[in-house]
Amino acid sequence: MGQYPQQRRRIGGFGRRVSARPTGRNIVRGNTLDVEEQTYWGPYYSYFPALARYIPLGEYARRVRPRACVLGASDGKFALPLLRAGWEVVGVETDELFLDGGEFDLVDGHHEVVGLRERLKAEGLEERCTIVEQDYMTLPAEGDFQLVMGSGLWSMDPNRAHSLQALIHHAMDMVAPGGIFFGEYLIAMNDEERQCGYYPPREEMDAIIERPGWQTFENADLGIRGESHLGYEQWHFHRYAAAIVHRMPGPRYATPTP
């Protein structure tokens, strides 16, 4: 298993086994999964609940303790439900507002962000979540995780130092054999978005994720939604899409030598 650089900020042990009892508000109901709506990004649309069809939940997850890497963990929209479901999580995030909390005013009013660290502490989940404060493209991609996921981050300006294909492939390479890559992305709606190269049509994303040893479970155009949020207060529209891709495990049995 690859080791992450020592300069990262850590909460808990990277691979420690501790009590798996879920705490806090129950987001996992049987084999269903939902976002943490009390976070800042919680009310915004996500295809995240669809992961319940593909990843272990319930008692199986609490006993096996699979490992997830959430790219752009923010204040816990996805990390908290996974932790409550029994997963161990590495949350990659560099925005201090969403890690440590804060306040800001937008056109729709005043917002208070609790912060991921405080949310973890309040639910006693610090031991099962490691926070990594650096660009995920600098992290090793050695197949360490049963789930690697990101939502909407591929088109953000800081990530444009890399091609879209490089961004997606690096995240996919962090997935262990048998694991899942989940990537929510945006499809272009105007010429500017089409020309920048980070709002791919579904067919272009197909070409990126179709790799040897991988099987596409879903690559769905999820439709258009209007919204206003931090960083883009003017009412605007996004065309959402999501890819769910399985890294196929190796053969269970060695091929006999003739």
Side-chain angles (χ1 to χ4, degrees), residues 37-219:
E37 295 181 355
Q38 300 304 310
T39 58
Y40 174 74
W41 298 106
Y44 293 88
Y45 176 78
S46 175
Y47 199 54
F48 177 73
L51 277 176
R53 298 197 290 272
Y54 306 109
I55 65 173
L57 299 171
E59 192 60 28
Y60 182 95
R62 287 188 283 273
R63 289 178 180 270
V64 174
R65 301 293 291 278
R67 302 173 68 246
C69 183
V70 179
L71 307 175
S74 191
D75 54 341
K77 177 177 179 175
F78 307 115
L80 290 169
L82 288 169
L83 288 162
R84 294 170 185 146
W87 285 67
E88 293 186 350
V89 173
V90 171
V92 181
E93 182 58 67
T94 59
D95 192 325
E96 292 183 1
L97 170 65
F98 292 109
L99 289 176
D100 298 320
E103 302 179 27
F104 54 88
D105 293 294
L106 299 178
V107 66
D108 62 346
H110 185 73
H111 295 264
E112 296 184 7
V113 175
V114 173
L116 180 57
R117 290 193 176 96
E118 183 60 32
R119 289 185 179 279
L120 293 171
K121 182 178 179 181
E123 297 195 29
L125 295 170
E126 309 105 300
E127 290 293 325
R128 291 198 286 112
C129 185
T130 300
I131 295 177
V132 177
E133 296 183 67
Q134 64 190 78
D135 179 355
Y136 85 88
M137 292 294 285
T138 68
L139 300 177
E142 299 175 350
D144 287 337
F145 299 97
Q146 284 70 52
L147 170 67
V148 175
M149 63 163 293
S151 177
L153 59 91
W154 323 109
S155 56
M156 292 182 176
D157 288 342
N159 291 322
R160 296 190 185 186
H162 310 276
S163 68
L164 179 62
Q165 177 172 298
L167 292 166
I168 298 293
H169 282 188
H170 191 83
M172 292 175 70
D173 290 343
M174 298 170 74
V175 178
I180 294 290
F181 167 73
F182 172 67
E184 291 188 302
Y185 63 99
L186 302 176
I187 295 175
M189 295 189 61
N190 54 56
D191 288 341
E192 180 181 357
E193 291 178 346
R194 276 186 284 272
Q195 291 167 7
C196 80
Y198 292 88
Y199 294 79
R202 193 173 60 83
E203 296 75 16
E204 183 179 329
M205 184 59 75
D206 275 335
I208 292 175
I209 61 178
E210 289 177 357
R211 308 171 65 191
W214 291 82
Q215 179 182 16
T216 300
F217 284 166
E218 298 189 47
N219 185 20

